Amino acid sequence: MESIGVLLTCPMYTNLHEELEKRFNLFKLWNFSSFKSFSQTHANSVRALVCDTKIGANANTIDSLPSLEIVSTYGVGLDKIDLKKCREKGIRVANTPDVLTDDVADLAIAHALAVFRKIPHSDGYVKNGLWKHSEYPLTTKFSGKSVGIVGLGRIGSAIAKRAAAFGCPVSYHSRSEKSEAGSSYKYYPNILDLAANSQILVVACALTEETRHIVNREVIDALGPKGVIINIGRGPIINQRELVSALVEGRLGGAGLDVFEHEPDVPEELMSLENVVLTPHVGTDTVETCNDMADLVIANLEAHFSGKPLLTPVL
Ligand SMILES: O=CC(=O)O
């Protein structure tokens, strides 16, 4: 397959780059001054595109690559891929679900614990020598808090399982009631009712036109000044301006955020809040999971170019 042109949209994971380079004719977009300068010389050679959550495959990219057959994304989210365009042009799409579920769910729980028990803040307290002067103030219990999950897909379900193990009653909102959730988790057809009946709201749904800003001022106010929002999904699912003002004004109790509306920019107002825990979109970023994701990206490409069924097809 050495002659098959594969375009990598941005730096992802060194092992993935190396493994792709062994198997394909790999083009790294960031080695060119612009997409235009790349496509002027190499557009016809590209039969596959490997993208991620930072740089995906928009309509312009897809239209500029006349030989494109498959988009294999290093991640589960599809919000940076123009799926409609891929469908129209018969371009296959694959992602890396399942292998990353545990890590993202673990991080959601870690964020909840970090916010309620103020772990990063109390870590700073010890490291800055403040413990010698006074005891650390009391924090808030996480076990047993009611957890409302927005989106009970693979990741949302894994978070529900973990939250239940902490004795947290779990409810959820999604487009439709999930039969497999049975009587374990209460379903709210309306996100406002979910927020009003939860102490923690965990955002775990995909970003789509329907879910953009689904967590708005009303939802934040329904959660209230003791409520906590955890977001391991995508930044734009929450109206970030409203989230920041609710945190600054004390209308929301705290937040654990792995994703933001304009990554890597994070609102300055959040930096000094001790009830806010921030991580740089690292839900899937463990060595184990990144290796599994890289293997899956490659396995999907190899399956496609050998005429076999994709392992994890989206389209
Ligand atoms: O954000 C990470 C992913 O979509 O896999």
Side-chain angles (χ1 to χ4, degrees):
M1 297 191 183
E2 290 89 358
S3 63
I4 295 173
V6 174
L7 175 64
L8 198 55
T9 59
C10 58
M12 291 169 208
Y13 176 42
T14 323
N15 286 14
L16 172 65
H17 303 181
E18 287 169 3
E19 293 306 317
L20 284 169
E21 225 144 25
K22 281 183 204 159
R23 294 166 171 81
F24 300 100
N25 176 21
L26 188 68
F27 298 101
K28 295 175 177 169
L29 190 53
W30 63 98
N31 287 339
F32 295 81
S33 58
S34 64
F35 180 71
K36 200 165 164 218
S37 83
F38 166 79
S39 56
Q40 271 160 5
T41 350
H42 300 292
N44 287 315
S45 317
V46 175
R47 293 175 62 193
L49 187 112
V50 174
C51 61
D52 76 354
T53 59
K54 293 183 284 300
I55 303 187
N58 62 23
N60 177 51
T61 306
I62 296 165
D63 278 336
S64 310
L65 301 171
S67 312
L68 186 64
E69 295 169 33
I70 178 167
V71 174
S72 183
T73 184
Y74 177 68
V76 71
L78 301 166
D79 47 288
K80 291 272 172 72
I81 302 173
D82 192 325
L83 291 177
K84 186 165 166 267
K85 176 67 80 180
C86 289
R87 203 173 282 119
E88 269 165 30
K89 299 191 105 172
I91 292 166
R92 305 297 313 271
V93 176
N95 63 350
T96 61
D98 299 319
V99 294
L100 47 71
T101 300
D102 283 341
D103 275 353
V104 182
D106 289 352
L107 189 70
I109 299 298
H111 264 281
L113 285 164
V115 172
F116 280 102
R117 301 304 303 270
K118 299 213 167 140
I119 296 170
H121 188 258
S122 58
D123 173 76
Y125 196 81
V126 176
K127 288 177 180 167
N128 293 318
L130 298 170
W131 192 17
K132 293 198 183 77
H133 306 293
S134 58
E135 288 298 320
Y136 192 75
L138 299 186
T139 60
T140 307
K141 186 170 179 148
F142 165 63
S143 283
K145 291 270 182 301
S146 51
V147 171
I149 300 177
V150 184
L152 201 72
R154 296 180 183 90
I155 294 172
S157 301
I159 296 168
K161 208 166 112 191
R162 284 160 176 73
F166 279 88
C168 301
V170 175
S171 312
Y172 70 101
H173 164 74
S174 57
R175 265 175 310 183
S176 57
E177 191 163 2
K178 311 270 177 196
S179 53
E180 65 275 22
S183 55
S184 322
Y185 313 135
K186 184 170 165 55
Y187 174 63
Y188 285 96
N190 184 328
I191 188 171
L192 211 49
D193 294 332
L194 177 73
N197 289 287
S198 302
Q199 292 165 296
I200 306 169
L201 192 71
V202 184
V203 175
C205 59
L207 173 63
T208 63
E209 277 322 303
E210 275 178 299
T211 63
R212 186 175 295 274
H213 285 192
I214 192 177
V215 179
N216 55 20
R217 187 181 177 111
E218 260 186 299
V219 172
I220 294 170
D221 285 345
L223 200 56
K226 289 197 170 156
V228 164
I229 290 185
I230 306 297
N231 191 1
I232 47 75
R234 284 290 184 269
I237 298 168
I238 303 180
N239 182 327
Q240 187 168 277
R241 206 165 32 82
E242 292 295 349
L243 175 69
V244 170
S245 59
L247 286 163
V248 169
E249 291 161 22
R251 287 184 287 108
L252 181 68
L257 308 171
D258 185 49
V259 287
F260 304 87
E261 271 211 79
H262 308 290
E263 295 172 7
D265 294 334
V266 176
E268 200 49 45
E269 296 95 314
L270 299 180
M271 303 298 179
S272 56
L273 298 179
E274 66 184 64
N275 54 343
V276 172
V277 175
L278 309 171
T279 49
H281 199 152
V282 291
T284 61
D285 292 1
T286 64
V287 173
E288 294 87 341
T289 290
C290 288
N291 283 334
D292 289 345
M293 286 161 63
D295 287 350
L296 205 42
V297 165
I298 292 168
N300 276 309
L301 293 179
E302 288 181 332
H304 173 76
F305 290 112
S306 326
K308 296 193 181 127
L310 300 184
L311 282 84
T312 47
V314 175
L315 290 180

